[in-house]
Amino acid sequence: MPNTVTLAGGQPADPALSETPVFAFEPNAAPLAANERAAQLVNPGFGRVFTDHMVTIRYSEAEGWHDAKITARAPFTMDSASAVLHYAQEIFEGMKAYRLPDGGAALFRPTANAARFRSSAERMAMVPLPEDLFVESVRTLVRQEADWIPDIDGGALYLRPFMIASEVFLGVKPSTEYLYAVIASSVGAYFKGGAPAVTLWVSQDYTRAAPGGTGAAKCGGNYASSLIAQAEATRQGCDQVLFLDAVERRWIEELGGMNIFFVFDDGRLQTPPLTGTILPGITRDSLITLARDMGLTVREEPYAIDQCRADAASGRLREAFACGTAAVVTPIGTMRLADGGFDIGDGGAGETTLRLRQALIDLQRGIAPDPHGWLERVV
């Protein structure tokens, strides 16, 4: 009999239901020795060092969500006709577990990731994973792998929940079978040396998303389509790419993997509105709340690239920063276009940017009070 996600009363989980599941544990027969793990955690980089275990849960129309387990992290065995390989039904999340001052571990706003994962699944015509099951799967893995959280500046356990279409067929239709998994990676700071000011290449040939598309879903296709523009940015000597809207090629939307904010001379912050073409970042939402807690005005309004250039030249635009789970808050110093570039402020990290960054980091790591109840201790 397969292991099932068990509900109170012993009944298998229905896709529309969620209760505390029981995860079967199949331990890694050859876990990394403690001394070898410690050596890797001294300088893990980002997304290169993986833990011993992973979570998997399967879905089928006959059984619903079932076979929940923690097992050794290992390659998947997949049929060459699996739907994900041909029709790209795939979604993922990015989140972190942080070391607390007392040695415990905590997640930051996991229910927000669960809600976005559900929304992404619905947009990609996939069967949504119950949100409680998503959160419990992440908690369970963090409890198992807490020793992999690096005790270094910027260290965290990066968590990658994802779901793929696993039905074996060739035909354009939603899959009836899915594999959900969570893997974990020990990480350091995304950018070395703290938070340097990055240079953006404003793409005028490529767009990230169009109205009615998948821009608000966290699916691999959005990132795949951004890579050619990111490669162009690299050729231009820039760190990241900035996308404009697909209709007018005028309005600033987001970076290849981060949201963007602007800070003006009157202290006001502005960020592009969520209109379906921009990923609703959890870091973005958290910073809006923290800024308002500080008494700052935050507006979610469109901002044109030409106006951005003019405001930078006049001094009205003082700071800009990008934000996301991986890099947290990253100051933006310069923007470049095919017809020239311009600095923002003094080209470095601004005061408001650094203040918000520190406030978010202190909250995530349990150093500052948590009035919004965002931090969830799991160990």
Side-chain angles (χ1 to χ4, degrees):
M1 289 288 292
N3 300 300
T4 59
V5 180
T6 304
L7 303 184
Q11 297 300 311
D14 182 271
L17 300 177
S18 58
E19 297 284 349
T20 302
V22 175
F23 288 81
F25 183 44
E26 300 175 1
N28 190 322
L32 196 67
N35 63 324
E36 294 180 56
R37 180 179 64 228
Q40 291 195 18
L41 299 190
V42 171
N43 184 21
F46 201 97
R48 300 286 184 179
V49 174
F50 294 95
T51 69
D52 290 319
H53 295 89
M54 65 181 181
V55 167
T56 59
I57 311 174
R58 294 189 176 274
Y59 174 84
S60 69
E61 287 186 328
E63 298 180 85
W65 290 104
H66 66 284
D67 200 20
K69 63 177 71 173
I70 302 177
T71 186
R73 193 184 74 87
F76 292 142
T77 299
M78 183 176 296
D79 193 287
S80 57
S82 295
V84 65
L85 301 177
H86 303 272
Y87 308 109
Q89 273 190 298
E90 179 271 351
I91 58 172
F92 67 96
E93 275 297 319
M95 51 200 302
K96 288 177 178 176
Y98 302 92
R99 182 72 69 198
L100 298 175
D102 64 4
L107 293 165
F108 182 71
R109 302 189 67 182
T111 56
N113 290 97
R116 188 170 65 182
F117 196 71
R118 170 179 280 275
S119 178
S120 294
E122 291 170 347
R123 176 60 185 86
M124 301 301 289
M126 304 172 79
V127 175
L129 183 76
E131 293 178 29
D132 288 353
L133 183 51
F134 175 99
V135 174
E136 190 59 29
S137 71
V138 175
R139 289 182 188 131
T140 299
L141 188 61
V142 172
R143 291 185 186 117
Q144 176 61 40
E145 307 290 66
D147 288 343
W148 286 84
I149 303 175
D151 290 318
I152 59 174
D153 184 39
L157 189 64
Y158 184 82
L159 301 157
R160 172 52 58 86
F162 63 99
M163 183 163 68
I164 61 174
S166 55
E167 184 181 359
V168 178
F169 76 97
L170 296 178
V172 183
K173 71 175 186 68
S175 178
T176 61
E177 297 177 9
Y178 296 95
L179 172 62
Y180 167 79
V182 190
I183 57 175
S185 174
S186 305
V187 300
Y190 193 79
F191 290 108
K192 294 295 183 184
V198 297
T199 299
L200 303 186
W201 173 254
V202 182
S203 179
Q204 295 169 293
D205 295 323
Y206 303 103
T207 59
R208 177 185 172 275
T214 61
K218 198 165 177 67
C219 61
N222 291 343
Y223 295 83
S225 65
S226 74
L227 296 180
I228 190 169
Q230 179 60 48
E232 182 180 57
T234 301
R235 290 195 299 273
Q236 296 294 331
C238 299
D239 302 293
Q240 297 283 325
V241 62
L242 176 65
F243 289 105
L244 305 178
D245 73 292
V247 178
E248 298 183 61
R249 307 291 179 95
R250 176 189 178 197
W251 303 102
I252 292 170
E253 293 216 322
E254 67 171 274
L255 279 65
M258 291 185 278
N259 297 122
I260 190 168
F261 281 80
F262 303 93
V263 184
F264 296 93
D265 57 359
D266 60 1
R268 174 176 57 88
L269 278 75
Q270 186 168 328
T271 189
L274 300 179
T275 58
T277 58
I278 294 174
L279 184 72
I282 294 162
T283 305
R284 172 190 182 276
D285 182 72
S286 302
L287 289 168
I288 289 173
T289 300
L290 291 176
R292 289 172 175 163
D293 287 347
M294 294 174 180
L296 301 173
T297 298
V298 185
R299 297 179 183 171
E300 297 178 69
E301 297 177 352
Y303 193 39
I305 187 63
D306 289 345
Q307 187 64 53
C308 179
R309 191 203 299 252
D311 289 343
S314 69
R316 179 171 175 263
L317 176 62
R318 296 289 180 84
E319 305 173 34
F321 62 87
C323 65
T325 297
V328 192
V329 172
T330 301
I332 298 167
T334 303
M335 292 190 183
R336 293 181 185 167
L337 297 86
D339 61 352
F342 57 93
D343 291 336
I344 297 171
D346 62 4
E351 179 181 348
T352 299
T353 299
L354 294 180
R355 182 183 173 199
L356 283 168
R357 182 178 186 274
Q358 195 61 52
L360 180 60
I361 290 173
D362 287 350
L363 195 158
Q364 290 173 330
R365 298 183 181 278
I367 298 170
D370 178 21
H372 302 287
W374 286 340
L375 205 62
E376 180 187 316
R377 174 185 285 271
V378 292
V379 177

